[in-house]
Amino acid sequence: MQTLIPAALASKAGRQLGDIAVLYRNRNVGDVAAIQAVTAGYPFVRIDNAAPYRKVPLTSWVEDCAIWCAGGWKISGPPLRDLQGRWRSFHGGLADRAARDAAARLTGFLWSHRGNGPALGFVEALKDELLGTLIDARGELADQAAHVNNMHKALQPEGVLAGTTKAQLGRRDGAPKQLNLLTLHSAKGTEYDVVIILGLDQGDFPSPNWFDNTLEKMEEARRLFYVGVTRARDEAHLMYSGFRKNQYGKIYRDGPSEFLNGLLP
């Protein structure tokens, strides 16, 4: 990371840390990446179990509303009908008239907040104008609302997502001046100029556990690998250490992941 990232930043004019993602399979590898980022002095945001807020239906809906307002409305991505349907579902069973009114309120809000402005103001307005009433009426959503509050906190000037735009929140990226650290699962639906995938050692990815090496699970792991590779717009760097240790400290030198073979000509 201490050589790849400076080189990636220098290779394209205007490129920022937010254009680079470090991907990994699990939080343990993420911890190593975070330590390296701290050592190198790079600010970063993590999208895994150590993320600033958890992905739950309500936070994912807020992200999708943000991307719709940031320009998704032009291409119906995501479709407004989908956002409306999910909004109605948060209310529980609604009569036809109430369901139409709820959809209309949401549509009016989204239409008036089009443009790729700061995500902080957008989330604040969404909480004040729509979510506050919903949470008051639907106490069972309190846990999910807490994660929206964590999102709001992270977007504050002193938060880890300070400076994030609606488009970046919708893509589930970090802020422009922060390196993105995220799991391969969390990377689905995102794109970055440069992607660095860590931990591609045979026995770590795919897993050394025999019960994880069924045909179905191997294919799932292979798909996850290709998800990571295809997140890169310009460059993908695939990293392995050349050895791995088991829980007892025994060292194995099995080389790079077998998934890398599929990329060779």
Side-chain angles (χ1 to χ4, degrees):
M1 287 174 60
Q2 296 187 28
T3 55
L4 277 177
I5 292 174
L9 291 171
S11 66
K12 183 177 180 180
R15 180 172 286 161
Q16 301 183 76
L17 283 173
D19 297 315
I20 302 173
V22 179
L23 310 183
Y24 40 87
R25 193 176 188 188
N26 57 53
R27 180 175 176 171
N28 291 335
V29 182
D31 289 342
V32 174
I35 290 170
Q36 290 297 313
V38 170
T39 301
Y42 295 129
F44 63 89
V45 59
R46 288 184 67 168
I47 308 298
D48 57 21
N49 290 339
Y53 64 90
R54 185 179 299 175
K55 303 295 183 181
V56 295
L58 198 56
T59 55
S60 293
W61 176 81
V62 172
E63 291 171 341
D64 286 345
C65 286
I67 199 65
W68 190 93
C69 289
W73 62 274
K74 299 176 183 178
I75 57 173
S76 191
L80 179 59
R81 183 182 298 274
D82 175 67
L83 297 177
Q84 292 171 334
R86 289 154 67 188
W87 175 240
R88 288 194 298 268
S89 72
F90 293 136
H91 290 78
L94 289 175
D96 289 347
R97 176 62 181 273
R100 288 195 297 270
D101 289 346
R105 287 194 301 273
L106 172 63
T107 302
F109 174 89
L110 296 178
W111 197 255
S112 66
H113 286 83
R114 288 174 300 155
N116 189 25
L120 175 59
F122 173 77
V123 173
E124 286 179 341
L126 189 61
K127 288 179 62 181
D128 290 343
E129 297 181 34
L130 292 178
L131 290 179
T133 302
L134 170 67
I135 302 307
D136 288 343
R138 302 280 292 176
E140 65 271 24
L141 293 175
D143 287 344
Q144 293 193 49
H147 296 301
V148 175
N149 290 336
N150 290 339
M151 172 194 287
H152 183 228
K153 181 179 179 180
L155 292 168
Q156 298 289 332
E158 68 281 4
V160 296
L161 295 180
T164 298
T165 65
K166 284 184 276 188
Q168 290 165 335
L169 182 68
R171 291 200 311 270
R172 301 166 191 155
D173 293 345
K177 297 182 179 181
Q178 291 178 316
L179 181 66
N180 300 283
L181 307 183
L182 64 163
T183 61
L184 288 158
H185 281 290
S186 299
K188 294 178 181 179
T190 65
E191 275 192 334
Y192 304 90
D193 281 5
V194 179
V195 164
I196 302 168
I197 306 180
L198 303 180
L200 293 175
D201 291 274
Q202 183 68 14
D204 281 336
F205 195 3
S207 168
N209 298 321
W210 66 268
F211 52 80
D212 282 340
N213 290 339
T214 63
L215 179 61
E216 181 180 356
K217 290 193 174 183
M218 286 291 287
E219 286 304 310
E220 180 183 351
R222 191 182 301 275
R223 285 193 296 270
L224 190 62
F225 169 72
Y226 280 106
V227 163
V229 172
T230 56
R231 298 310 91 196
R233 285 187 287 259
D234 299 332
E235 306 172 25
H237 300 273
L238 311 179
M239 313 298 293
Y240 71 98
S241 65
F243 70 94
R244 64 181 177 86
K245 287 184 179 181
N246 67 11
Q247 58 183 327
Y248 306 109
K250 184 176 181 179
I251 294 177
Y252 296 86
R253 301 184 184 276
D254 297 326
S257 169
E258 63 189 73
F259 297 153
L260 296 179
N261 296 332
L263 301 179
L264 299 175

